[in-house]
Amino acid sequence: QTYKPEYKISTVVGAPFPWGLMAERWATIVKDKSGGKINMKVYPGASLVGGDQTKEFTAMRQGVIDMAVGSTINWSPQVAELNLFSLPFLMPDHKAIDAITQGPAGKKIFEIIGSKDVVPLAWGENGFREISNSKRDVKKPEDLKGLKIRVVGSPLYNETFTALGANPTQMSWADAQPALSTGAVDGQENPLTIFTVAKLHTVGQKHVTLWGYVADPLIFAVSKPVWDTFSPADQQILREAAVDAAKYGVEIARKGITAADPSVLKEIEGLGVTITRLTPEEQKAFQAATKPVYDKWKARIGADLVTQAEKSVAAR
Amino acid sequence: MSNEPDPLLMNQEPPVRVPLTFERVVAALAMGALCLITLGNVFARYLTNYSFAFTEEFSIALMVVVTMLGASIATAADRNIRITWFANMLPPAGRRVAEVISSLAIITMFGLLVWLGGRLVWDEYRFEVTSPGLGEPQWVYTLALPLLAAAVIGRAIGHLVRVWRARKVPKHESVEPI
Amino acid sequence: MITAALFLCFLLLFIAGTPVGVALGLAGCLAIFMADLGLMAAPTNAYTGIAKYPLLAVPMFVLVGAIFDRSGVALRLVNFTSAIVGRRAGSLAAVTVIVSMFLGGISGSGPANAAAVGGAMIGALSRAGYPRAFSASVIGAAAATDILIPPSIALIIYSVLVPQASVPALFAAGMIPGILAGIALIVPVLYVSKKNGFGLAEKDLPRPPFWKSFREAIWGLLAPVLILGGMRAGWFTPTEAAVMAVLYGLFVGFVIYRSLTLRDVYEMFVEAAEISGVILIVVALAAIFGWAGSTLGVFDHAANAIVATGGNQYVILTLLIIMLIVIGMFLDGVSTFLILLPLLMPIANKFGWDPVWFGVLLTLKIAIGQFTPPMAVNLMVSCRIAGVPMESTLRWVFPMIASMFVVLILMVIFPEIALWLPRVLGYL
Ligand code: NA
Ligand code: NA
């Protein structure tokens, strides 16, 4: 069969972020194993969908994008079940993320995605989203009261921050940086890799809390119409390469932010930023404050799926 | 001051058979709503603890409406950004051909938006895509694209008919708006 | 082959007089179809091309321009500035430039500025003894400073196309070049007026009373303070600043000057919607062209080829500016940005040019083009108000064009002219 000269992988951020690196690794492995027959190129910045990452999934379904390493948050408008990972304080640690993605809940989600003309191949990682602000250390929900926090656009995030007493504000990342520097908003939430690369300490973000309220696993996927053009052997190559690249991606996404290897945390503290680490009890207070939101969305996402995920987390 | 013709938009009243009332009233309402939503956002931020910010997606949807209606009015009045300098060097018959090509191009482009945009809406409806900010059905927002593209087609057809009937191509003076 | 189709299709339609956006969109669709990239990319990109929050500032600043045009603010600013400057040769022409720059701190578009200042000034300039063609030239040229002095619709659109350059950084970067451009215009305006004895017809009339004119002008004087100060202080985003300016302008027009009616508001809303639609439909359809070109790798290849010629970066920059001058003879600012930026940005990146500096440089070039005949949108508006043909302005605008070009050359040699302010304000 004839293959396209180039297959396009969409990502939201490129190298040197782990997100971009794992997509590039996928392309490299596939090229090697297919003997140069399958060429994939990474298009960061969601540039294949005019910069609107929430359109990525639809575009892939329509065959406008061949492949993507996409975020569960950005795909949740099309796949409501992906809101699972945005349930506040569902996953207390990295092991919990793995327990869900590699367990029955992860499998179920892949089945759902597969029913929407997109072929999911492997789970990568963007990381826990940690909160930072310019005002004070956040140890308990009351500390968030009245803080204006820039959040990604999603009703679930809006409700979570409202439940915590904060004042969530939705704005594009381009608007967010000047807004942070002028104090129009007080804080933001993102994986720590974004914090360091975007140098958020220079816009007054001096208080970081490691609260791990949500994590954003990434999904390696191929458009179904494109997938069907590959021979079974090449499909196998794509799948195995995605699994390998995802494994590498999870590794680099967690580098330097664990108790065993806190090098990135040390680096951030070296910039004059205080990092607050919550004890399990302190984290419980946040969990309790967001419980009504959790319960409401558990029903909306599908109680069975969420219960399955909870079980996997408990048994990790 | 309102009696004088506006220097930015000369020929305020294009010679249309179907009045522009619909486009104008809806466009003005959308502009007004845009102002009110954004104002509400500012006031809510400073005067209340309630976050109004997720209305951003209403604003964006309204902006798409304003764009398409504005394009429709501009097409009726022949005020889109286009360069007739080259076409004007042609003899009258050539100019008419160029004008017909231009109108057919508009009809084709917006026809594609009606057809493909309609497929996009259908896709979003079928797969129950929700909006990223408020979780509303996305197809309701996207619908503005194919629906109002049809209005532009109507205006382009009207212009084509007027060009066809008239002996000579009307003089074009486009707005360059920035 | 597909690349050729992309550009040929655009060029043919463009030359036939098809609207620029439609020509871009159809060429993009043709290339997408031929390369089998999936035609659904067309509606998706057209929608996401305009469904961007920062673009909301475009209709809002267009509306601000319309409101301040009709509310009579410009006229009060003229009286006040005249009270300060007095009535020497060329002084009222200089006042025109200063008032334009001041209105530039409120409105975001050159033609809107030309309309507002032209409406307020043309009569006064004629009574003071300036030839109408000269007045139209001064108004058209001075209005060009508007798209440099923040707020600026041109810079907002640049920021949307080049996300690394934020709107606040661009706004700050445009300020000093905009003021320099205004000063650069005053020099030839005063020289030509002195030489020809323009503006002496009313030299014996008394100056307008200072305090009275100040009291009336204060509302106009405060508007840029509100818009720029509010953004700087972090009270509101650029979009919100525009809406606050709308509110303020309506307040001044209804309550203070009592020059507006509800009918005016309706008409301004419709007018702003149409002008915004004209701009944004090009943005939407050009997104299809841009997507096709960048997905096919056309722009990258072209940029690589240009850089591979091994030319010195100043040589390349000079060639780019010459190309822009030629293109500017036929094309407006928005279209220039939308067609050329996908090609220019890879070149800028390869040479390591600062995207904020580059954006202000391009905008300055577009500003000059706004009063360079034959396609000179500002002159079109000012000549219409003055009732003179554009050809009559040729002898007057030439020194102004040359003078503003000096600012452009200075900005190439000293990039800090643009970059100093945003750096000090912490936007870079
Ligand atoms: Na301005
Ligand atoms: Na020009």
Side-chain angles (χ1 to χ4, degrees), chain C residues 325 328-331 365-366 368-377:
Chain C
I325 292 172
M329 288 178 170
F330 304 107
L331 224 53
K365 165 64 208 59
I366 288 169
I368 297 172
Q370 287 188 327
F371 63 98
T372 309
M375 295 288 168
V377 56

Side-chain angles (χ1 to χ4, degrees), chain C residues 276-288:
Chain C
S276 311
V278 167
I279 302 176
L280 293 175
I281 199 67
V282 186
V283 176
L285 297 176
I288 303 174

Side-chain angles (χ1 to χ4, degrees), chain A residues 272-288:
Chain A
V273 177
T274 53
I275 295 187
T276 307
R277 296 163 176 82
L278 299 183
T279 63
E281 287 71 40
E282 286 169 335
Q283 203 174 31
K284 284 231 166 63
F286 285 95
Q287 204 168 9

Side-chain angles (χ1 to χ4, degrees), chain C residues 46-64:
Chain C
Y47 193 87
T48 55
I50 44 171
K52 293 192 166 91
Y53 190 70
L55 275 181
L56 198 53
V58 172
M60 290 302 119
F61 276 120
V62 170
L63 186 57
V64 170

Side-chain angles (χ1 to χ4, degrees), chain C residues 104-105 107-108 146 149-152:
Chain C
S107 114
D146 190 313
I149 295 172
S152 159

Side-chain angles (χ1 to χ4, degrees), chain C residues 46-367:
Chain C
Y47 193 87
T48 55
I50 44 171
K52 293 192 166 91
Y53 190 70
L55 275 181
L56 198 53
V58 172
M60 290 302 119
F61 276 120
V62 170
L63 186 57
V64 170
I67 289 176
F68 279 88
D69 177 12
R70 293 205 197 192
S71 64
V73 163
L75 196 64
R76 274 89 173 175
L77 287 175
V78 172
N79 284 336
F80 174 62
T81 319
S82 306
I84 298 174
V85 176
R87 297 181 187 274
R88 286 182 291 274
S91 59
L92 197 60
V95 165
T96 307
V97 179
I98 294 167
V99 170
S100 279
M101 289 162 68
F102 211 88
L103 274 181
I106 304 173
S107 114
S109 110
N113 188 312
V117 176
M121 291 298 295
I122 202 76
L125 283 165
S126 298
R127 283 193 300 278
Y130 295 90
R132 291 184 93 86
F134 177 77
S135 306
S137 309
V138 176
I139 291 164
T145 59
D146 190 313
I147 63 170
L148 287 161
I149 295 172
S152 159
I153 293 172
L155 291 176
I156 291 168
I157 290 180
Y158 179 86
S159 167
V160 167
L161 297 171
V162 184
Q164 316 81 294
S166 72
V167 170
L170 286 164
F171 276 13
M175 186 64 120
I176 292 176
I179 293 172
L180 283 181
I183 294 171
L185 288 178
I186 292 179
V187 174
V189 163
L190 282 181
Y191 176 79
V192 170
S193 302
K194 276 247 161 64
K195 202 174 128 207
N196 296 291
F198 292 161
L200 293 171
E202 292 185 327
K203 72 175 187 326
D204 300 325
L205 286 183
R207 290 186 188 190
F210 178 84
W211 285 110
K212 182 173 176 295
S213 60
F214 176 73
R215 262 200 314 280
E216 285 188 340
I218 184 75
W219 298 98
L221 294 170
L222 282 176
V225 177
L226 175 83
I227 296 175
L228 302 179
M231 267 192 281
R232 169 64 201 132
W235 295 340
F236 16 78
T237 67
T239 310
E240 291 169 354
V243 180
M244 297 311 282
V246 167
L247 188 69
Y248 181 81
L250 289 177
F251 169 75
V252 173
F254 273 106
V255 180
I256 308 290
Y257 299 159
R258 298 173 189 244
S259 51
L260 290 181
T261 63
L262 277 178
R263 179 85 209 166
D264 286 330
V265 174
Y266 170 73
E267 278 172 7
M268 287 185 296
F269 276 14
V270 174
E271 178 188 314
E274 182 183 342
I275 295 177
S276 311
V278 167
I279 302 176
L280 293 175
I281 199 67
V282 186
V283 176
L285 297 176
I288 303 174
F289 182 85
W291 187 86
S294 57
T295 308
L296 292 166
V298 174
F299 304 129
D300 271 345
H301 287 156
N304 284 335
I306 290 172
V307 174
T309 57
N312 172 290
Q313 59 165 330
Y314 290 103
V315 175
I316 304 274
L317 195 57
T318 310
L319 290 175
L320 286 183
I321 289 172
I322 291 172
M323 180 180 84
L324 281 166
I325 292 172
V326 174
I327 290 173
M329 288 178 170
F330 304 107
L331 224 53
D332 65 290
V334 183
S335 312
T336 308
F337 273 157
L338 290 165
I339 296 170
L340 290 182
L341 275 183
L343 174 67
L344 295 182
M345 283 327 288
I347 299 176
N349 289 334
K350 292 218 158 66
F351 283 119
W353 296 337
D354 187 287
V356 171
W357 169 81
F358 194 56
V360 176
L361 187 76
L362 291 181
T363 305
L364 178 51
K365 165 64 208 59
I366 288 169

